[in-house]
Amino acid sequence: MPNTVVIGMQWGDEGKGKIVDLLCPAFDAVVRFQGGNNAGHTVKFGDRHFALHLVPSGVLHPGKKCVLGNGMVIHPASLFEELSGLVAAGVEVEGRLWISRRAHVILPQHIELDAARERARGGDAIGTTARGIGPAYEAKAGRYGLRVRDLSAHGLERLVEVALEVIGPQLEHLGTETAGPGETVAICRDWAARLDPYLGDVEELLNDWIDAGESLLFEGAQGTLLDLDHGTYPYVTSSSASVGGAATGTGVPPSRLDGVLGVLKAYTTRVGGGPFPTELAGGAGELLRERGNEFGTTTGRPRRCGWFDAVVARHTRRINGVDAIALTKLDVLDDLDEILVCTGYRLGGRVVRGLPSSLEELATAEPVYRRLPGWRETTVGTLDHDRLPARARAYVAAVEEEVGAPVALISSGPRREETVVRELPVVGRLVPGGAAGIRAHRDAAV
């Protein structure tokens, strides 16, 4: 049975939550492997709407096992709030959620430090969500972080003291007051008691499930261009948002990961600072933002919008080994007379097709565009590829050609049921039950 990784191929916000929600009935468990509550996965079906930040999208499917891996950083208070909201909405959580004892904890001081640093940067702010993600990963790398298992340790007091010895002077320098060790220890003890029912040796569990013939769906957060190593550094997140994070963030070896489904928006968006070669100012960009409801699930911030960037998509297809693409928000392009696709960058009189590693080059890159006619017809709710307008099908084919991977799924609206599922051999290799199984679940949601 395949174990498949779902990866964002742009700067995040590609619609991974919907795609995971659509696929997860075919799998036995859904696993988050990096990031924290800076992620925002939106899931819609029928008249229901869920915004998830830490819990995998599989939680919305009765009986599905959900896992938070060791590669994550978890703010327990935010997790408890999210779980309470799910329970209030009638979603059963008890007995279905496992949290790795090796995952790191976001302390209140991490959140305070994140926000204080962004304020101090002024116009040079990175654009973080100020959720404490970066400082928590920084503590992890500096070996003064607290893991979930440490919250109930006998030596917790000393661990907290060591962490605050590093964080406290930074906060003081930035003019921010914070709680002392005693108050922080009390918070951690409360968190430990409330987390205890969910804790497990996730690394062993996942491998045991695979040994037993179960299939796992790995849910990435953010996007590859926000990956700490492969993204547009320093305007990135602090974790491995590419496929490598699925192994290091769970304890499942790469040899047991069988395929990668990359999620691409039919245009490009990003939040925060950093270069964005195809960004649109004014009319077209505003149209994409309004039609696509491009406002952050976690922060509500308006997203920067631009044309589809095949340079970015080729880069992320290559480093993730993407087998097939889920193309989202095609319907947002319905009213455009002409649609542009960036096929390369012009740099100093030469045209390049690869993504520059230099931030300066990326900031000055001039997009080279391929122009395609718009279709000026609605695609909303279309379920069959052959029923898409001819020019919409041509656009999908252009994406496949430029990126170098087949488009297996096409989102024709925000809801689970608004999805085209193509009958391609690769779908059967990535998803148990293949295209027929996905369509059956999609149609059950109508």
Side-chain angles (χ1 to χ4, degrees), residues 150-194:
D150 296 327
L151 297 179
S152 57
H154 293 300
L156 174 62
E157 289 80 1
R158 182 54 188 155
L159 293 173
V160 169
E161 287 174 0
V162 169
L164 297 194
E165 285 170 4
V166 178
I167 301 171
Q170 297 180 62
L171 287 171
E172 184 178 354
H173 175 73
L174 292 166
T176 300
E177 295 184 1
T178 190
E183 185 178 343
T184 304
V185 167
I187 292 171
C188 290
R189 293 292 188 201
D190 176 67
W191 285 349
R194 298 175 66 185

Side-chain angles (χ1 to χ4, degrees), residues 4-345:
T4 299
V5 186
V6 174
I7 287 291
M9 296 179 67
Q10 293 158 315
W11 278 281
D13 308 309
E14 299 95 348
K16 296 180 292 297
K18 171 184 173 172
I19 300 303
V20 170
D21 172 66
L22 179 68
L23 299 182
C24 74
F27 293 84
D28 296 292
V30 184
V31 188
R32 269 282 306 272
F33 56 85
Q34 47 81 219
N37 60 312
N38 56 342
H41 289 172
T42 301
V43 178
K44 296 183 180 182
F45 53 93
D47 60 354
R48 309 201 72 184
H49 177 193
F50 292 87
L52 302 171
H53 304 278
L54 282 163
V55 182
S57 305
V59 75
L60 302 177
H61 298 266
K64 197 64 58 180
K65 294 183 287 193
C66 297
V67 176
L68 305 185
N70 61 274
M72 294 185 65
V73 288
I74 298 170
H75 182 229
S78 296
L79 176 62
F80 301 144
E81 181 180 356
E82 187 168 330
L83 293 176
S84 295
L86 287 167
V87 171
V91 178
E92 182 64 44
V93 175
E94 188 174 350
R96 301 177 51 211
L97 179 66
W98 286 264
I99 300 173
S100 171
R101 293 186 173 94
R102 291 180 169 89
H104 273 248
V105 175
I106 298 175
L107 296 174
Q109 290 83 0
H110 293 140
I111 299 172
E112 294 162 354
L113 183 58
D114 201 356
R117 284 174 171 173
E118 283 292 271
R119 289 194 299 270
R121 289 185 181 108
D124 295 323
I126 292 172
T128 77
T129 58
R131 298 295 197 271
I133 310 299
Y137 276 116
E138 182 180 321
K140 175 180 179 178
R143 290 169 289 187
Y144 59 91
L146 271 72
R147 297 190 294 177
V148 169
R149 69 183 308 125
D150 296 327
L151 297 179
S152 57
H154 293 300
L156 174 62
E157 289 80 1
R158 182 54 188 155
L159 293 173
V160 169
E161 287 174 0
V162 169
L164 297 194
E165 285 170 4
V166 178
I167 301 171
Q170 297 180 62
L171 287 171
E172 184 178 354
H173 175 73
L174 292 166
T176 300
E177 295 184 1
T178 190
E183 185 178 343
T184 304
V185 167
I187 292 171
C188 290
R189 293 292 188 201
D190 176 67
W191 285 349
R194 298 175 66 185
L195 284 171
D196 186 66
Y198 304 106
L199 302 187
D201 292 321
V202 161
E203 304 74 24
E204 292 184 17
L205 276 175
L206 295 176
N207 281 286
D208 286 347
W209 291 345
I210 295 173
D211 289 342
E214 297 188 14
S215 55
L216 311 183
L217 184 62
F218 294 82
E219 179 181 25
Q222 288 87 42
T224 304
L225 265 289
L226 294 177
D227 183 278
L228 183 60
D229 289 287
H230 299 290
T232 49
Y233 185 89
Y235 297 96
V236 293
T237 193
S238 299
S239 60
S240 296
S242 54
V243 69
T248 58
T250 63
V252 174
S255 59
R256 308 195 89 171
L257 303 176
D258 300 303
V260 180
L261 179 68
V263 186
L264 282 171
K265 200 174 286 184
Y267 47 99
T268 310
T269 64
R270 77 169 300 176
V271 294
F276 183 180
T278 67
E279 184 171 11
L280 292 166
E286 288 296 331
L287 175 65
L288 293 175
R289 184 177 299 110
E290 293 302 321
R291 280 187 56 86
N293 190 31
E294 296 297 349
F295 300 90
T297 303
T298 297
T299 64
R301 291 183 297 180
R303 296 171 185 145
R304 301 157 63 188
C305 298
W307 296 120
F308 184 85
D309 191 332
V311 178
V312 163
R314 279 195 297 268
H315 171 74
T316 58
R317 188 266 304 163
R318 182 179 298 112
I319 65 173
N320 288 306
V322 169
D323 297 288
I325 295 166
L327 188 67
T328 63
K329 294 198 171 184
L330 183 71
D331 55 295
V332 174
L333 306 179
D334 284 353
D335 291 341
L336 296 175
D337 292 314
E338 185 179 52
I339 303 169
L340 276 60
V341 172
C342 173
T343 61
Y345 298 151

Side-chain angles (χ1 to χ4, degrees), residues 22-23 26 409 419 421 427 431-444:
L22 179 68
L23 299 182
L409 304 173
T419 312
V421 183
V427 178
V431 183
I438 301 172
R439 280 196 292 268
H441 172 59
R442 174 201 68 187
D443 297 343

